Short mmCIF file of all heavy atoms in Angstrom, two decimals:
data_model
loop_
_atom_site.label_atom_id
_atom_site.label_comp_id
_atom_site.label_asym_id
_atom_site.label_seq_id
_atom_site.Cartn_x
_atom_site.Cartn_y
_atom_site.Cartn_z
N LEU V 28 -15.71 -21.54 -0.78
CA LEU V 28 -16.06 -20.17 -1.26
C LEU V 28 -17.33 -20.16 -2.05
O LEU V 28 -18.23 -19.34 -1.82
CB LEU V 28 -14.90 -19.58 -2.07
CG LEU V 28 -15.14 -18.26 -2.74
CD1 LEU V 28 -15.39 -17.17 -1.70
CD2 LEU V 28 -13.99 -17.86 -3.62
N TRP V 29 -17.43 -21.08 -2.97
CA TRP V 29 -18.66 -21.17 -3.78
C TRP V 29 -19.87 -21.39 -2.93
O TRP V 29 -20.91 -20.82 -3.16
CB TRP V 29 -18.51 -22.23 -4.86
CG TRP V 29 -17.65 -21.91 -6.03
CD1 TRP V 29 -16.89 -20.76 -6.22
CD2 TRP V 29 -17.51 -22.70 -7.18
NE1 TRP V 29 -16.23 -20.85 -7.43
CE2 TRP V 29 -16.61 -22.00 -8.04
CE3 TRP V 29 -17.97 -23.92 -7.61
CZ2 TRP V 29 -16.18 -22.51 -9.29
CZ3 TRP V 29 -17.56 -24.45 -8.84
CH2 TRP V 29 -16.71 -23.73 -9.65
N GLY V 30 -19.73 -22.28 -1.92
CA GLY V 30 -20.79 -22.56 -1.00
C GLY V 30 -21.22 -21.34 -0.24
O GLY V 30 -22.41 -20.99 -0.15
N ARG V 31 -20.22 -20.60 0.33
CA ARG V 31 -20.58 -19.36 1.13
C ARG V 31 -21.23 -18.34 0.28
O ARG V 31 -22.05 -17.54 0.71
CB ARG V 31 -19.33 -18.83 1.74
CG ARG V 31 -18.82 -19.62 2.95
CD ARG V 31 -17.74 -18.90 3.77
NE ARG V 31 -16.67 -18.36 2.93
CZ ARG V 31 -15.57 -19.04 2.64
NH1 ARG V 31 -15.37 -20.29 3.03
NH2 ARG V 31 -14.60 -18.49 1.92
N ALA V 32 -20.86 -18.28 -1.03
CA ALA V 32 -21.38 -17.28 -1.92
C ALA V 32 -22.72 -17.69 -2.57
O ALA V 32 -23.30 -16.93 -3.31
CB ALA V 32 -20.38 -17.02 -3.07
N GLY V 33 -23.22 -18.88 -2.19
CA GLY V 33 -24.47 -19.39 -2.76
C GLY V 33 -24.44 -19.73 -4.18
O GLY V 33 -25.40 -19.70 -4.89
N LEU V 34 -23.24 -20.12 -4.69
CA LEU V 34 -23.08 -20.44 -6.10
C LEU V 34 -23.30 -21.91 -6.44
O LEU V 34 -23.44 -22.26 -7.68
CB LEU V 34 -21.70 -20.01 -6.59
CG LEU V 34 -21.39 -18.53 -6.47
CD1 LEU V 34 -19.97 -18.27 -6.89
CD2 LEU V 34 -22.34 -17.69 -7.26
N THR V 35 -23.35 -22.77 -5.55
CA THR V 35 -23.48 -24.17 -5.86
C THR V 35 -24.96 -24.58 -6.04
O THR V 35 -25.87 -23.93 -5.55
CB THR V 35 -22.90 -25.07 -4.69
OG1 THR V 35 -23.62 -24.78 -3.52
CG2 THR V 35 -21.40 -24.80 -4.53
N ARG V 36 -25.11 -25.60 -6.86
CA ARG V 36 -26.46 -26.18 -7.10
C ARG V 36 -26.32 -27.68 -6.98
O ARG V 36 -25.31 -28.25 -7.39
CB ARG V 36 -26.96 -25.83 -8.51
CG ARG V 36 -27.14 -24.32 -8.76
CD ARG V 36 -28.31 -23.80 -7.83
NE ARG V 36 -28.65 -22.44 -7.99
CZ ARG V 36 -28.21 -21.48 -7.20
NH1 ARG V 36 -27.45 -21.72 -6.16
NH2 ARG V 36 -28.65 -20.21 -7.43
N PRO V 37 -27.39 -28.36 -6.46
CA PRO V 37 -27.29 -29.79 -6.18
C PRO V 37 -26.95 -30.59 -7.43
O PRO V 37 -26.33 -31.62 -7.36
CB PRO V 37 -28.66 -30.15 -5.64
CG PRO V 37 -29.26 -28.89 -5.18
CD PRO V 37 -28.62 -27.74 -5.99
N TRP V 38 -27.37 -30.18 -8.57
CA TRP V 38 -27.18 -30.93 -9.84
C TRP V 38 -25.84 -30.59 -10.48
O TRP V 38 -25.51 -31.17 -11.52
CB TRP V 38 -28.32 -30.61 -10.83
CG TRP V 38 -28.40 -29.16 -11.16
CD1 TRP V 38 -27.72 -28.51 -12.16
CD2 TRP V 38 -29.22 -28.16 -10.54
NE1 TRP V 38 -28.01 -27.20 -12.20
CE2 TRP V 38 -28.95 -26.89 -11.24
CE3 TRP V 38 -30.11 -28.16 -9.48
CZ2 TRP V 38 -29.57 -25.77 -10.80
CZ3 TRP V 38 -30.74 -26.97 -9.14
CH2 TRP V 38 -30.48 -25.83 -9.78
N ASN V 39 -25.05 -29.76 -9.88
CA ASN V 39 -23.77 -29.34 -10.54
C ASN V 39 -22.68 -29.30 -9.42
O ASN V 39 -22.36 -28.24 -8.96
CB ASN V 39 -23.93 -28.00 -11.19
CG ASN V 39 -22.80 -27.62 -12.04
OD1 ASN V 39 -22.02 -28.40 -12.46
ND2 ASN V 39 -22.59 -26.34 -12.24
N PRO V 40 -22.12 -30.47 -9.11
CA PRO V 40 -21.08 -30.49 -8.01
C PRO V 40 -19.89 -29.62 -8.37
O PRO V 40 -19.26 -29.85 -9.44
CB PRO V 40 -20.75 -31.98 -7.92
CG PRO V 40 -21.75 -32.80 -8.72
CD PRO V 40 -22.34 -31.80 -9.68
N PRO V 41 -19.52 -28.73 -7.49
CA PRO V 41 -18.36 -27.82 -7.78
C PRO V 41 -17.07 -28.60 -7.96
O PRO V 41 -16.18 -28.19 -8.70
CB PRO V 41 -18.36 -26.84 -6.61
CG PRO V 41 -19.10 -27.49 -5.56
CD PRO V 41 -20.12 -28.38 -6.19
N GLU V 42 -16.93 -29.66 -7.23
CA GLU V 42 -15.66 -30.51 -7.33
C GLU V 42 -15.46 -30.98 -8.71
O GLU V 42 -14.31 -31.03 -9.20
CB GLU V 42 -15.73 -31.63 -6.32
CG GLU V 42 -15.77 -31.29 -4.91
CD GLU V 42 -17.23 -31.05 -4.37
OE1 GLU V 42 -18.19 -31.07 -5.17
OE2 GLU V 42 -17.39 -30.90 -3.21
N VAL V 43 -16.55 -31.35 -9.44
CA VAL V 43 -16.45 -31.84 -10.75
C VAL V 43 -16.07 -30.73 -11.70
O VAL V 43 -15.15 -30.91 -12.54
CB VAL V 43 -17.82 -32.53 -11.24
CG1 VAL V 43 -17.75 -32.82 -12.73
CG2 VAL V 43 -18.15 -33.68 -10.39
N ASP V 44 -16.61 -29.54 -11.57
CA ASP V 44 -16.25 -28.40 -12.37
C ASP V 44 -14.77 -28.00 -12.21
O ASP V 44 -14.09 -27.76 -13.15
CB ASP V 44 -17.10 -27.18 -12.04
CG ASP V 44 -18.51 -27.25 -12.62
OD1 ASP V 44 -18.72 -28.06 -13.58
OD2 ASP V 44 -19.36 -26.43 -12.21
N LEU V 45 -14.34 -28.03 -10.94
CA LEU V 45 -12.99 -27.66 -10.67
C LEU V 45 -11.99 -28.73 -11.28
O LEU V 45 -10.95 -28.32 -11.78
CB LEU V 45 -12.75 -27.49 -9.16
CG LEU V 45 -13.48 -26.30 -8.57
CD1 LEU V 45 -13.49 -26.39 -7.04
CD2 LEU V 45 -12.83 -24.96 -9.02
N GLN V 46 -12.34 -29.96 -11.16
CA GLN V 46 -11.48 -30.97 -11.69
C GLN V 46 -11.39 -30.87 -13.23
O GLN V 46 -10.31 -31.02 -13.82
CB GLN V 46 -12.00 -32.39 -11.33
CG GLN V 46 -10.91 -33.45 -11.68
CD GLN V 46 -9.56 -33.23 -10.99
OE1 GLN V 46 -9.50 -33.08 -9.79
NE2 GLN V 46 -8.54 -33.19 -11.79
N HIS V 47 -12.50 -30.54 -13.89
CA HIS V 47 -12.46 -30.31 -15.34
C HIS V 47 -11.57 -29.17 -15.62
O HIS V 47 -10.80 -29.24 -16.65
CB HIS V 47 -13.87 -30.02 -15.88
CG HIS V 47 -14.77 -31.18 -15.99
ND1 HIS V 47 -14.52 -32.27 -16.79
CD2 HIS V 47 -15.98 -31.46 -15.37
CE1 HIS V 47 -15.47 -33.13 -16.71
NE2 HIS V 47 -16.41 -32.66 -15.80
N ALA V 48 -11.60 -28.12 -14.84
CA ALA V 48 -10.73 -26.96 -15.09
C ALA V 48 -9.28 -27.33 -14.85
O ALA V 48 -8.42 -26.90 -15.65
CB ALA V 48 -11.12 -25.82 -14.15
N LEU V 49 -8.99 -28.13 -13.89
CA LEU V 49 -7.58 -28.53 -13.63
C LEU V 49 -7.04 -29.49 -14.75
O LEU V 49 -5.87 -29.45 -15.03
CB LEU V 49 -7.49 -29.28 -12.24
CG LEU V 49 -7.62 -28.40 -11.10
CD1 LEU V 49 -7.75 -29.24 -9.82
CD2 LEU V 49 -6.43 -27.46 -10.95
N ASP V 50 -8.00 -30.25 -15.34
CA ASP V 50 -7.55 -31.19 -16.39
C ASP V 50 -7.37 -30.59 -17.77
O ASP V 50 -6.81 -31.19 -18.64
CB ASP V 50 -8.62 -32.26 -16.53
CG ASP V 50 -8.65 -33.20 -15.33
OD1 ASP V 50 -7.71 -33.19 -14.52
OD2 ASP V 50 -9.69 -33.94 -15.16
N GLY V 51 -7.86 -29.37 -17.95
CA GLY V 51 -7.75 -28.77 -19.28
C GLY V 51 -7.58 -27.26 -19.24
O GLY V 51 -7.44 -26.65 -18.22
N ASP V 52 -7.55 -26.67 -20.42
CA ASP V 52 -7.36 -25.26 -20.62
C ASP V 52 -8.70 -24.58 -20.62
O ASP V 52 -9.48 -24.79 -21.56
CB ASP V 52 -6.58 -24.98 -21.87
CG ASP V 52 -6.22 -23.56 -22.04
OD1 ASP V 52 -6.11 -22.83 -21.06
OD2 ASP V 52 -6.06 -23.14 -23.20
#
Side-chain angles (χ1 to χ4, degrees):
L28 172 64
W29 283 7
R31 286 192 310 272
L34 299 176
T35 59
R36 296 295 183 260
W38 60 86
N39 190 22
E42 298 86 353
V43 174
D44 283 346
L45 291 167
Q46 190 59 53
H47 285 299
L49 288 169
D50 290 344
D52 186 26

